[in-house]
Every structure is written in C-alpha cells, then in structure tokens.
C-alpha cells in the first residue's frame, strides 16, 4: 500500500502563516483578560555629532515593555569595531543582534583586508541587510566612527535608507534632541563642548519623552582612542527615603519561647562527578 | 469567526519617504537636473539637506523620489552594474544603458518597490538625454518631472519649456520650477541641488533656501 506524498513547495523568506492564528488567539484571550506579551522596545533617545577630532555618540538607558520600564540601565551603544560604535533604537533584540552580526562580519573583513574597517563599509553592510528584510527588522541605528578618511556619522532606518550628516538623532525622543542640536550645533567644536551638547540633547529626550529615561551614556571616538563613558551623567537619581520603617530589636516584647529540635538522619548520600574537561 | 486584520507594528508604517520635487531638462549640449532636499518619516522631517541627485557614472546622474530605502538601493545597484558594464565595453556607458538598467529593476520588482528614478546624462553618441522610468516604463523625453511636488508645476513646465535653451536659461528654468514646487508642496523643501552635465564635465551646485527666487511671497 503506497502513500503518495506530494513534495510541498517551500517558499523562501519569512512565513506569515501563524500571524492570522496569533491574531485570533489574541482576540480570544482578550475576552478572558490575558494580554499577549509585547516585544521589548528601546523607546529611546539616541544621537551623534561630528566634532573637530572625531564623533560623539550619546544614548539614554531606558528599555520599555509596553508602558512598563523593563530595564532601567540598558546599554544602547554597541561595539562594531575598535574604531566604530553604533547606537540602536527600536526593537531591543533586533538592534542587539544586527549590530553583533555586522560586527562579526566586519572583523572578518578587516582581517582579510589587513586594514582598520571604514565607517562606510559598516554602513553598507547594515543598510543592505536591513533592506533585504524590508523593514521587518525594527532597528534604527546611529553609526559613528573614525577611520583613515576621517570622522563619519550615519543614520540608518529600518527599511534600509541611510543619511550621512554632521548631526543625527533617532528614537522616540529624537525631536526633543534635534531641537537642541538645531539650536547649538556648530561645525568643528572642541571635545568638551561636543560632549556637553550631546549630553544636553539626550537630557532633553529623557525629560520630554516618556519612552526615554534614566542615565546618559556617551561614547567619544577619536583617532586611536575611544572613551566609553557609562554612565556619563546620572540624570535621574533614585529618591532617598527620608525615614526608616525598620523596628528595633525588642520593640515587640517576647512572652514565651519554646525550642523543638527536629532530629533528621541521613538516609542516602551519592556523589555525581561532572565532566568539566 | 470573523476575518481579523493583521496588526501592523507601528514603525513599519512610518517608512522614510522622499516626498519630493525632482526635475531633469535637456538643453543644447547637455542636461540639467534639479531636486529639493527634504526627507520625511510620517510627519517629521528626518533629513533636511539630502542630495537626491545621485551619480550613476561620471556623466550620468539619477534623481530619486518615493521610498528613500528603495530609491537609494536601486541607485547603488545600478551604479555597481554600470561600473562593471563600462569596464566590459572599455568606454563610458550610454545614458540609455543606465536608464535600461534602472528600468529593469523597477519593472521586475514593480509590486515590491515604490520608487521613481529619473535618469539623465550626456554621452558622445546622443548628447544630453532625459529618461523617465516610472513603474518600469522607459521613455526618452525632452524634460521630466517627478515626486509629490511635481503635480504643482505641471502647468508651469509645460508653458515655459522651450527646446534648445542655453545652459544658463535651463538652469534658471530648473531653479524656478523647484522654487515654485517647494513653495506649494508640504513634502518638498530645504535647499535646491542643481547638477549640470555637458561634454566638458559635471557641475554640482547647492542653492540655499534664502537664495531661491521668490514668487508673490508676501
């Protein structure tokens, strides 16, 4: 008795078959009051500027899951190569993985060419990957670094378009940060002035956007040196409690005290060795 | 059980578009391309100084409009393909070849892409040419306009264009058209980029907002 099995055509790329099922399940669950878990986004303020000797990248440190803060001190400035760093906004997992993949590929590329990688190379790799996924990878990035051709700054959007500019902001707090940049940016600033400007721009995002908060991280990249300042500025200190609710020993009087020892005997003892070679 | 609509993630719908005005005009001896510089995502402007005139080769440029990611990617792919092609033929490529490469991508991925590129340049065989490649068609025209701002200047360009203008007259014509469109279209603005290509070379110019010609602007 032979069964005829037809070879199923396997389409390449993403399969969206479960989306309808998920939507129906969600609607059913909502009747009982259960909500589907939300993807963790870094509703964020990230920005970067080019100054005289290099670039300064800045980011806040809040990661949100819906309306709840999931991580009060997450790191949004990711390492790409010794001279290139990347801030990420959007879905936290997407930015983390994307930057790690490109960092790994760039290291191999750098070993093949025996040269320090260029920012334009990282930009090309990121935009080609994001375009290939047609915006389904929710990663909005600010890429900055210093290479043999000088300091460069790029902003990269989830659909794969990029802009090369002297100052960029991304994330939900980008409008607040951009307002600060448009007011005070000047070309060829000194390092301290640039750091202060980025710090103020991120602070504007933190205080005026609900999705951004906590501390300010900075990353200053110059030729041959990277200063990863985490945290650069603790903008939001956790409040100090003015009173203590602890009661001193003896506040409650002891009336009686009874001690009952529990006698236990060892029934069985066995040792399992772990292979840690 | 009713049909449920698939819920779209928020950032997916906020695609970065170059709501734009682009124009390319032939003159006696070459072409002039012009564009505005505004890139928007939803209602905010993400880049107010983007140069939408992208080089495909030394004497061939294309003007980008529509989805920023799609347009940038097409331009970069065609730039690469033209490089290979020009090495193979051991000569500068024809504008027609560049336009055909753009058309091939636009037509094949018609349903997936939403970008419109105008290809213009100068070659030794036919001189200055302008090709429109909207939705995958390929047509050679004396001039072409594109983008959301182009709807406002259709009448103007139809009335004011003359064949065989001088280089200076054509540049003025392009700048006037851009200024009028940028004045009326919310998705166009910023500065105006003008590129002039003729047998002597390529000249890129940027005209700042306050230097643009004014028309009845109270």
């Amino acid at each position: 008795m032979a069964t005829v099995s037809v070879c199923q055509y396997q389409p390449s790329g993403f399969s969206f078959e479960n989306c309808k099922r998920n939507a129906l399940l969600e609607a059913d669950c909502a009747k009982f009051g259960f909500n589907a878990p939300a993807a963790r986004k870094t509703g964020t303020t990230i920005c970067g500027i080019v100054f005289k000797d290099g670039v300064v990248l800045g980011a806040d440190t809040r990661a949100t899951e819906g309306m709840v803060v999931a991580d009060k001190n997450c790191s949004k400035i990711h390492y790409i190569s010794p001279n290139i760093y990347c801030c990420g906004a959007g879905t936290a997992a997407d930015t983390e993985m994307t930057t790690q993949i490109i960092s790994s590929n760039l290291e191999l590329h750098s070993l093949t060419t025996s040269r320090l990688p260029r920012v334009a190379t990282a930009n090309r790799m990121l935009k080609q990957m994001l375009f290939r996924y047609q915006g389904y990878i929710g990663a909005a990035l600010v890429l900055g670094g210093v290479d043999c051709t000088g300091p460069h700054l790029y902003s990269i959007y989830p659909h794969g378009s990029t802009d090369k500019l002297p100052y960029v902001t991304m994330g939900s707090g980008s409008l607040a940060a951009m307002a600060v940049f448009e007011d005070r940016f000047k070309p060829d600033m000194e390092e301290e002035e640039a750091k202060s400007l980025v710090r103020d721009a991120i602070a504007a995002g933190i205080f005026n956007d609900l999705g951004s908060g906590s501390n300010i991280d900075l990353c200053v990249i110059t030729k041959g040196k990277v200063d990863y300042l985490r945290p650069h500025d603790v903008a939001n200190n956790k409040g100090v409690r003015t009173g203590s609710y602890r009661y001193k020993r003896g506040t409650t009087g002891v009336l009686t005290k009874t001690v009952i020892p529990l006698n236990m005997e060892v029934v069985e003892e066995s040792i399992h060795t772990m292979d840690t070679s | 059980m009713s049909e449920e609509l698939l819920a779209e993630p928020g950032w997916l719908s906020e695609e970065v578009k170059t709501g734009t005005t682009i124009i390319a005009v032939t003159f006696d001896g070459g072409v002039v391309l012009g564009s505005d510089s505004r890139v928007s995502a939803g209602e905010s402007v993400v880049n107010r100084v983007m140069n939408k005139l992208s080089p495909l080769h030394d004497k061939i440029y294309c003007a980008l409009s529509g989805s920023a990611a799609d347009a940038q990617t097409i331009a970069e792919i065609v730039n690469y393909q033209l490089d290979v092609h020009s090495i193979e033929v051991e000569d500068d490529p024809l504008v027609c070849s560049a336009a055909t490469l753009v058309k091939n991508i636009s037509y094949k991925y018609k349903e997936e892409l939403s970008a419109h590129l105008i290809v213009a340049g100068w070659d030794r065989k036919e001189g200055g040419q302008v090709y429109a490649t909207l939705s995958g068609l390929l047509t050679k025209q004396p001039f072409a306009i594109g983008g959301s701002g182009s709807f406002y200047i259709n009448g103007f360009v139809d009335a004011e264009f003359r064949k065989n203008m001088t280089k200076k007259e054509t540049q003025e014509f392009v700048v006037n058209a851009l200024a009028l469109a940028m004045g009326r279209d919310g998705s166009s603005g910023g500065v105006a980029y003008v590129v002039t290509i003729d047998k002597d070379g390529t000249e890129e110019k940027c005209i700042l907002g306050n230097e643009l010609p004014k028309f009845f602007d109270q």
Side-chain angles (χ1 to χ4, degrees), chain B:
Chain B
M1 245 352 152
S2 57
E3 284 274 298
E4 304 282 337
L5 281 169
L6 297 177
E8 276 227 81
W11 39 261
L12 190 61
S13 48
E14 277 213 21
E15 197 181 323
V16 177
K17 297 189 93 67
T18 54
T20 272
T21 310
I22 49 175
I23 172 172
V25 185
T26 53
F27 67 91
D28 186 20
V31 292
V32 177
L33 292 104
S35 82
D36 73 309
S37 65
R38 182 171 289 183
V39 180
S40 52
E43 261 135 31
S44 57
V45 174
V46 294
N47 188 351
R48 58 182 168 82
V49 286
M50 177 171 180
N51 191 343
K52 298 176 192 174
L53 303 175
S54 190
L56 295 178
H57 202 77
D58 298 331
K59 293 224 170 86
I60 308 175
Y61 271 64
C62 71
L64 314 172
S65 72
S67 153
D70 293 346
Q72 276 184 8
T73 305
I74 298 175
E76 281 165 15
I77 292 176
V78 174
N79 182 321
Y80 163 76
Q81 289 174 338
L82 264 189
D83 256 351
V84 174
H85 173 70
S86 78
I87 291 173
E88 283 175 351
V89 299
E90 291 179 3
D91 196 4
D92 286 332
L94 297 176
V95 187
C96 187
S97 316
T100 307
L101 289 170
V102 172
K103 178 266 288 174
N104 286 341
I105 301 177
S106 302
Y107 182 69
K108 186 167 177 194
Y109 299 102
K110 213 162 131 82
E111 308 298 326
E112 290 91 345
L113 296 173
S114 65
H116 169 34
L117 275 69
I118 299 179
V119 181
W122 182 93
D123 61 38
R124 265 202 319 258
K125 193 164 160 222
E126 303 268 338
Q129 301 142 73
V130 167
Y131 292 87
T133 65
L134 183 64
S135 293
L137 66 72
L138 178 63
T139 127
K140 179 159 161 219
Q141 297 173 189
F143 67 89
I145 54 177
S148 59
S150 66
F151 299 121
Y152 300 94
I153 50 171
N154 267 306
F156 171 77
V157 295
D158 283 343
E160 292 292 318
F161 174 75
R162 283 157 294 128
K163 271 208 161 109
N164 295 329
M165 287 190 278
T166 64
K167 180 155 91 168
K168 203 149 183 308
E169 284 175 345
T170 317
Q171 284 172 336
E172 247 179 63
F173 171 64
V174 163
V175 171
N176 286 341
L178 285 173
L180 284 167
M182 283 165 29
R184 284 289 179 180
D185 179 28
S187 319
S188 305
V191 303
Y193 288 102
V194 178
V195 167
T196 313
I197 311 173
D198 58 14
K199 68 173 178 2
D200 299 318
T202 311
E203 183 199 318
E204 287 190 28
K205 225 165 48 143
C206 171
I207 301 171
L208 299 179
N210 57 349
E211 294 163 13
L212 285 171
K214 298 200 188 324
F215 300 89
F216 288 106
D217 282 332
Q218 302 303 345

Side-chain angles (χ1 to χ4, degrees), chain A residues 136-167:
Chain A
Y136 283 98
I137 293 188
L141 310 165
V142 168
L143 176 77
V146 180
D147 57 35
C148 56
T149 50
H152 301 284
L153 185 66
Y154 291 88
S155 66
I156 305 166
Y157 293 87
H159 284 264
S161 58
T162 64
D163 290 311
K164 183 173 192 307
L165 293 165
Y167 55 95

Side-chain angles (χ1 to χ4, degrees), chain A residues 183-196:
Chain A
D183 186 34
R184 285 161 42 187
F185 176 82
K186 294 186 303 286
D188 294 327
M189 283 189 287
E190 294 297 328
E191 183 175 326
E192 282 314 311
E193 209 186 334
K195 277 162 67 174
S196 160

